[in-house]
Amino acid sequence: MFRNSLRLLGIAALGAAIGLPVSASADGEVNVYSARQENLIKPLLDDFTRDTGITVNLLTGRADELLQRLRLEGRNSPADVLITVDAGNLHQAKEAEVLSPVDSPVLNERIPENFRDVDGHWYGLSLRARPIMYNKDTVDPSELSTYEALTDPKWRGRICIRSSSNIYNQSLVASMIASNGTEATSEWAEGLVANFARPPQGGDTDQIRAAAAGVCDIAIANTYYLGGMLAGDDPEQRAVAEQIGVFFPNQDGRGTHVNISGAGVTAHAPNPGNGVQLIEYLTREEAQRWYAEVNQEYPVRPEVPASETLQSLGDFKADSLNLSLLGQYNAEAVRIMDRAGWR
């Protein structure tokens, strides 16, 4: 059991309370392991139950904990669906053989090819960009251009970013490897580390707050963190976010790095049909609009509009890299970050 991170809904609540596994035998249910926080997924699961009559049993935890749980449970796992963040995590789940390939014409039609696994092991559900964010008082956006240019000595002591153990940064570096090669990415990582304003600490929101407070001038963070601050009810958070500008780098080249949250049917799912039905439901236009308006994430379906808050950040060209490559280059990205002293 995951310390305080275990959450079960529906008929599994009693089993969770006494430490029993989620039921895997009843009809009309689907068992979900989710690395997303409950408030970022539960309303959609409730809608799914209302519309289909299928009970959703939800267990939440950290991505690495859920992957390890699936490995240990093996054929005895009650899980039908794994929902997690970042294509790197989804790739690791595929490599660990805890996901089963799905051939869904619905998903193949709705989800762009670069946001799903080529073999159908996972599909993107929502999208986020990882642009350059800057203090409006200390940085002129005309000074900014690409991720690569952040190694310029003029940014010495001016950049905040979270640690190398974070999968979002690992995937950013993996995208650099895919685009520029290992040698150039190694040089870039060394130059970026030389420009850090402080040792990496905290999450993406902490980097945004640090830039607003003048600890640094530039932060690299996912758009939904800033979007949530701008659209939220906390006036202090909103005031911090309003001090930050967003610059989408590499617009004259490959485009800005993007990543996904996504889902796959587990390898030993007791209710695989319901699992596929749930993932298809989460890609419906109504669900995609919910991701946009409530979570401040970009819909993974290009025909569904982003929220007004995200639209206010500006249009941008996204990197069209197939996100499967982020997982394939993950190990090399970690080695590069370690050699560069990115802690």
Side-chain angles (χ1 to χ4, degrees), residues 15 24 54 96 101-102 161 195 198 208 240 290 321:
I54 298 172
V102 168
I161 192 168
N195 288 345
R198 62 179 184 181
I208 295 169
V240 168
W290 186 89
L321 182 76

Side-chain angles (χ1 to χ4, degrees), residues 96-249:
E97 299 183 347
V98 300
L99 297 180
S100 179
V102 168
D103 184 13
S104 166
V106 171
L107 293 174
N108 290 339
E109 179 181 356
R110 289 177 179 171
I111 309 303
E113 188 174 358
N114 58 316
F115 299 146
R116 53 184 163 91
D117 178 56
V118 65
D119 299 315
H121 284 81
W122 51 262
Y123 291 85
L125 298 177
S126 62
L127 191 67
R128 67 284 304 270
R130 196 162 182 77
I132 299 169
M133 300 186 186
Y134 62 92
N135 185 310
K136 293 178 180 178
D137 293 332
T138 60
V139 175
D140 185 334
S142 66
E143 299 179 84
L144 299 166
S145 58
T146 65
Y147 294 110
E148 289 84 349
L150 292 178
T151 62
D152 191 296
K154 71 181 179 181
W155 302 117
R156 188 64 50 86
R158 302 176 68 187
I159 297 175
C160 285
I161 192 168
R162 64 198 293 179
S163 78
S164 61
S165 64
N166 174 249
I167 189 68
Y168 304 150
N169 284 338
Q170 292 172 10
S171 288
L172 172 62
V173 176
S175 76
M176 304 283 287
I177 296 171
S179 297
N180 301 332
T182 299
E183 184 176 348
T185 302
S186 296
E187 294 176 359
W188 172 80
E190 291 172 0
L192 188 72
V193 169
N195 288 345
F196 285 177
R198 62 179 184 181
Q201 55 189 269
D204 277 16
T205 301
D206 297 300
Q207 315 313 313
I208 295 169
R209 296 182 70 88
V215 175
C216 49
D217 296 319
I218 285 175
I220 297 177
N222 284 351
T223 42
Y224 68 89
Y225 289 98
L226 185 67
M229 295 171 74
L230 289 168
D233 297 327
D234 186 334
E236 188 271 338
Q237 288 269 62
R238 193 161 53 249
V240 168
E242 287 172 350
Q243 297 179 59
I244 299 298
V246 175
F247 183 86
F248 294 100

Side-chain angles (χ1 to χ4, degrees), residues 51-70:
D51 292 343
T52 66
I54 298 172
T55 299
V56 179
N57 305 312
L58 174 66
L59 182 150
T60 64
R62 287 188 352 211
D64 56 344
E65 292 175 326
L66 294 178
L67 178 55
Q68 180 65 4
R69 184 181 180 112
L70 286 168

